[in-house]
Amino acid sequence: MKNEPKILHIDMDAFFASVEQAYNPRLKGKPLIVGGRADKQRTVVCAASYEAKALGIDSGMSTQQALRICPNAEFVSADSAKYLYVSDQIAEMLKNYSPQIEQASIDEFYLDITGLDKMFGSYFDLGMRIKQEIKKKFSITGSVGISVNRLMSKIASKLKKPDGMMIMPRADIISVLKDLPIQKIPGIGASLSAKLQDLSIFSFSDMRKFSADFYQQRFGKIGLWMYALAHPEIVVADEEIDWVDQKPKDPKSIGHSYTLNQNIYTRGEIEAWMQLLAEMVGFRLRRHNLEANTVHIYLRKPDMKSISGEKNFKEYNNDSKQIFKRALFLLDKLNTKNVEVRALGISVKNFMPATNNFLLADAQKRYQICNAQDAINKRFGDWTVYPASICSIV
DNA sequence: TCTGGGGTCCTAGGACCC
DNA sequence: TCTGGGGTCCTAGGACCC
């Protein structure tokens, strides 16, 4: 097909674990677990090296379980600054191949490479050059998928992990994917795949047996998406690609949450943690130079179910104290009597650029205090200065 | 037995207005 | 004693991703 879009997806293999192994040769060749946090309780595996994966350890698994499988596995806690740094370097490198690049996550990128086969000899040669440059510069590997849209490219790269590459033209999609289990399709998670299996849909081929109406009635919008993906032979007009070149876009929400070492019960304890979280959220909001008017809180119970509250307030702000007050207002509306809390979080959304323009002298003063506090924390590290009332838990 | 923390997007029901 | 049918906004909760 002429002028058919070609999207290249590259996904780093076991990214966090690979970066750790690249930085520390002692970890190379060993089963390595990168944990969500230093304490090994109540947390999950963020990344596992391929040596650990071979033993059955994988990301998302509880760290306790992973260490039961392999008590001698190397363990490091995640160092997000390091991974972000490498990720940025990779993004810069990829811009030399195509200006149309989208960073989908810390370790995944999409490139529009339509027509670039002529410049690089072939799409295969282009993919290989990217893989080789990454290996040479960063001592890690990535898997490449090239196909007609993001989803198909991503499926292709996943199929060839680790360190592989697959080119999947539209005409090959149905035959290549026919036996693919539905759970392997990005966007179909545990819940959807259970529902599909109830309908005797287990593989990509099975997905093709039902009509668009069938999917829409049962699954609504997602149903239509599923129908479309199962029918790659139907070319959707303009698969709307909005490449975000250059500047990263503003986030849509900013939040922090924390799983406690031990469950808490009292309003006082919940408030103390809420204040800490509000401080963290406000700090990041100010760093983005944004204000928000919607605050969301959630409390997760020991059964993992959560209760939450959210409210759109009239005024926008980025003041930690105001965020805390709003969080308490929402907390009052939730019935937290006798609720045991395992984890809790605050997030804010609905942003506008910070005006830093206050009618009230008090608000002006708060703003100056926040700024001073941020400046100190920026210079000397987070949590050098924080409100006295959260001393007990920091 | 265990299940983090950062997000995005969707749905469904109720409130409210005309 | 009877109350339709849109539309929009708000909020709770869930699904999914890395």
Side-chain angles (χ1 to χ4, degrees):
Chain A
M1 202 172 296
K2 247 173 65 182
N3 294 329
E4 183 155 75
K6 284 277 187 279
I7 306 301
L8 180 149
H9 179 247
I10 179 156
D11 192 342
M12 304 311 141
D13 303 319
F15 183 56
F16 296 178
S18 302
V19 170
E20 293 296 345
Q21 288 177 321
Y23 271 67
N24 182 354
R26 190 182 67 77
L27 300 173
K28 274 190 185 152
K30 292 186 182 167
L32 168 66
I33 295 168
V34 180
R37 45 165 151 155
D39 96 56
K40 296 172 188 174
Q41 306 297 310
R42 293 187 151 201
T43 186
V44 300
V45 175
C46 258
S49 69
Y50 276 86
E51 295 80 6
K53 283 181 201 266
L55 301 171
I57 295 169
D58 212 346
S59 49
M61 177 183 278
S62 83
T63 303
Q64 280 183 48
Q65 194 187 347
L67 288 171
R68 269 201 301 275
I69 293 172
C70 184
N72 300 321
E74 299 285 341
F75 180 93
V76 298
S77 56
D79 178 356
S80 54
K82 197 191 284 173
Y83 314 139
L84 277 171
Y85 175 76
V86 177
S87 179
D88 285 349
Q89 304 275 107
I90 294 171
E92 283 306 311
M93 188 212 98
L94 291 172
K95 282 177 192 162
N96 295 325
Y97 288 89
S98 168
Q100 305 219 276
I101 167 172
E102 182 186 277
Q103 178 150 16
S105 72
I106 194 164
D107 66 342
E108 273 180 282
F109 304 84
Y110 293 100
L111 275 69
D112 184 345
I113 55 165
T114 309
L116 296 184
D117 51 333
K118 289 159 205 91
M119 200 194 277
F120 291 91
S122 68
Y123 288 123
F124 180 87
D125 291 342
L126 169 56
M128 285 308 289
R129 273 192 51 181
I130 291 177
K131 280 169 58 66
Q132 282 159 4
E133 190 176 350
I134 286 175
K135 198 176 283 183
K136 194 169 153 211
K137 282 201 169 135
F138 306 103
S139 302
I140 64 173
T141 61
S143 298
V144 166
I146 297 175
S147 191
V148 295
N149 58 35
R150 287 193 185 85
L151 178 66
M152 290 302 159
S153 306
K154 182 166 174 152
I155 292 174
S157 66
K158 267 175 78 161
L159 286 173
K160 291 293 176 182
K161 270 187 163 296
D163 200 13
M165 173 156 79
M166 179 188 263
I167 298 180
M168 188 164 67
R170 189 180 296 279
D172 295 355
I173 295 174
I174 295 170
S175 61
V176 171
L177 301 187
K178 65 179 188 319
D179 297 323
L180 185 72
I182 50 170
Q183 311 91 277
K184 301 261 181 186
I185 298 170
I188 300 182
S191 169
L192 277 178
S193 62
K195 285 176 194 157
L196 288 170
Q197 284 173 13
D198 283 346
L199 297 163
S200 295
I201 299 171
F202 300 97
S203 68
F204 182 82
S205 301
D206 294 336
M207 289 186 80
R208 293 175 52 76
K209 293 175 184 164
F210 299 91
S211 69
D213 281 348
F214 173 91
Y215 281 108
Q216 185 173 26
Q217 275 168 25
R218 283 171 180 75
F219 301 101
K221 201 169 175 175
I222 290 182
L224 286 177
W225 171 81
M226 290 193 282
Y227 178 81
L229 84 86
H231 293 272
E233 71 276 18
I234 302 170
V235 181
V236 181
D238 184 23
E239 280 160 340
E240 56 164 296
I241 294 169
D242 51 340
W243 299 101
V244 275
D245 32 12
Q246 312 310 347
K247 52 178 185 267
K249 32 181 177 182
D250 281 338
K252 300 201 167 158
S253 70
I254 289 176
H256 283 285
S257 63
Y258 187 73
T259 297
L260 305 149
N261 293 323
Q262 266 152 12
N263 296 350
I264 55 176
Y265 305 83
T266 66
R267 168 80 185 210
E269 289 170 306
I270 295 173
E271 281 190 13
W273 283 103
M274 284 286 176
Q275 179 158 17
L276 175 65
L277 292 166
E279 287 293 332
M280 296 166 73
V281 170
F283 176 69
R284 275 215 293 149
L285 206 42
R286 295 189 293 275
R287 201 166 51 184
H288 281 278
N289 211 23
L290 294 171
E291 295 179 355
N293 76 345
T294 302
V295 176
H296 175 98
I297 66 167
Y298 88 91
L299 303 176
R300 173 176 272 181
K301 297 182 284 183
D303 65 1
M304 298 301 277
K305 293 220 165 81
S306 57
I307 50 176
S308 66
E310 175 178 322
K311 187 167 163 59
N312 219 323
F313 295 87
K314 273 208 185 94
E315 287 182 15
Y316 289 77
N317 67 56
N318 56 22
D319 176 352
S320 300
K321 192 176 168 190
Q322 290 303 320
I323 295 168
F324 177 54
K325 274 174 76 174
R326 290 172 172 187
L328 289 186
F329 172 83
L330 290 165
L331 193 58
D332 283 334
K333 293 209 300 179
L334 295 178
N335 185 11
T336 58
K337 276 242 166 63
N338 303 319
V339 170
E340 193 174 339
V341 178
R342 175 197 167 90
L344 69 180
I346 300 181
S347 66
V348 295
K349 61 182 182 183
N350 249 338
F351 298 134
M352 59 174 282
T355 55
N356 306 330
N357 176 14
F358 302 104
L359 296 173
L360 302 172
D362 187 47
Q364 175 77 44
K365 204 167 132 195
R366 281 284 320 152
Y367 173 70
Q368 285 165 355
I369 292 172
C370 285
N371 264 352
Q373 187 183 323
D374 291 349
I376 294 169
N377 286 334
K378 205 170 167 185
R379 170 120 190 240
F380 299 103
D382 286 356
W383 311 118
T384 306
V385 180
Y386 48 82
S389 50
I390 59 179
C391 274
S392 60
I393 56 171
V394 171

